[in-house]
Amino acid sequence: MTQRQYLVAGNWKMNGSLEANRTLVSGILAGLGQCAGVEVLVCPPAPYLAQVRELVEGSRIRLGGQNLADQQKAGAFTGEVHGAMLRELGCQYVLVGHSERRSLYGETDAVVAAKFKVAQALGLVPVLCLGETLDERDSNRTEAVLARQLGAVVEAAGIAAFAAGRAVIAYEPVWAIGTGRTASAEQAQSAHAYLRGQLAERDATIAGSTRILYGGSVKPDNAQELFAGADVDGGLIGGASLKCGDFLAICAGAQSQLK
Ligand code: PGA
C-alpha cells in the first residue's frame, strides 16, 4: 500500500484580519517543529491569500482556497473566484463541496463535481468534502449519502482523478461541524473505511493512496484518538484552526501517530 502522509488543514472560514492572520501564522511557523512529517495546510478567506502567501513564503506551510468558481474560463461571473487566480496566489489545494457551501449556497452534487473537475484541470488538488446530516445518520442513511456524494464526483471525473494524491477526501459529518459534538473514533473510522471501500470497488491501488481527512469539531483532546483510525489520514479543522496553540496541538496529534 502506498504510504499516505498525514495532512492537517485549517479552514479559517469567513474569519481573520490582516493583524489576526499575521499573529496566527507567525505562531504556527514558530511551532512547526512539533509536527515534523505532517503536511500542514491553511485555507484563509480569498482576500487574504496574497498576505498569507507572503507570511508562509519559504516555509513548508501550504496554502489552499476555500472555494472556486465552477467555470473553466474567467469572465463575467461577479463575485466568483477563478481557480487560476488561486493558483497564481500560491494555492496548491482548494476545498470543494464544504457542507456550508452545500447547505447555505445551494451547491448540488453536480456543482460540486463541476468544481472538482475545474480545480484539477487548473492544477489544484481538490479537497472533496462530504458527510451526512444528523437526520440522515439517525435514519441509517449515512452510507447511502456518502456513496451518492462520492459517486457523483467519481462518475463525473473518473476514478483516475483520485490517483496518486491528485485529490483528497474530507469526511465531515454535518452534525459535528462547529457543534462541539465530534464523531467517535469508531464512527469516523467506519465512515472512512466505507469511503475507501467505495474507491476500492473501482480501483484498489487508488483507494490505498487516497488521503481521507476527518472534520467536525476536531480539538487537541480528541485529535490523537481520531487520527489513530487506520483509514484516517489527518483532519480538516475549522474553529480550532484559528487558535495557534490548538492547531499546533492537533498537528502534533497527527505527528504522534507516525510510525
Ligand atoms: P469545525 O469545522 O472544526 O469548527 O467543526 C470543520 C469544518 O467545517 O471544516
Side-chain angles (χ1 to χ4, degrees), residues 9-13 95 98-100 129 170 172-181 214-219 235-241 250:
N11 173 12
W12 296 1
K13 308 194 179 183
L95 307 184
H98 189 280
S99 84
E100 285 148 21
C129 305
E172 299 203 299
V174 177
W175 47 273
I177 296 179
T179 57
R181 188 177 160 189
Y214 169 78
S217 298
V218 179
K219 302 280 183 268
L236 179 55
I237 321 300
S241 74
I250 291 167

Side-chain angles (χ1 to χ4, degrees), residues 219-242:
K219 302 280 183 268
D221 60 3
N222 59 27
Q224 201 170 330
E225 199 187 348
L226 285 161
F227 297 161
D231 291 293
V232 181
D233 305 310
L236 179 55
I237 321 300
S241 74
L242 299 170

Side-chain angles (χ1 to χ4, degrees), residues 6-8 38 223-224 227 234 249-258:
Y6 276 105
L7 170 62
V8 177
V38 175
Q224 201 170 330
F227 297 161
I250 291 167
C251 293
Q255 209 272 336
S256 71
Q257 297 299 318
L258 296 176

Side-chain angles (χ1 to χ4, degrees), residues 64-90:
Q66 296 178 11
N67 183 31
L68 83 168
D70 61 353
Q71 300 294 322
Q72 289 279 355
K73 292 206 173 106
F77 300 97
T78 302
E80 291 293 298
V81 174
H82 192 253
M85 300 170 187
L86 298 178
R87 282 275 292 167
E88 199 171 25
L89 286 169

Side-chain angles (χ1 to χ4, degrees), residues 116-117 120 126 153-154 157-168 206:
F116 181 98
K117 283 172 63 174
Q120 282 200 323
V153 173
V154 175
I159 185 67
F162 286 82
R166 294 189 62 228
V168 173
I206 289 175

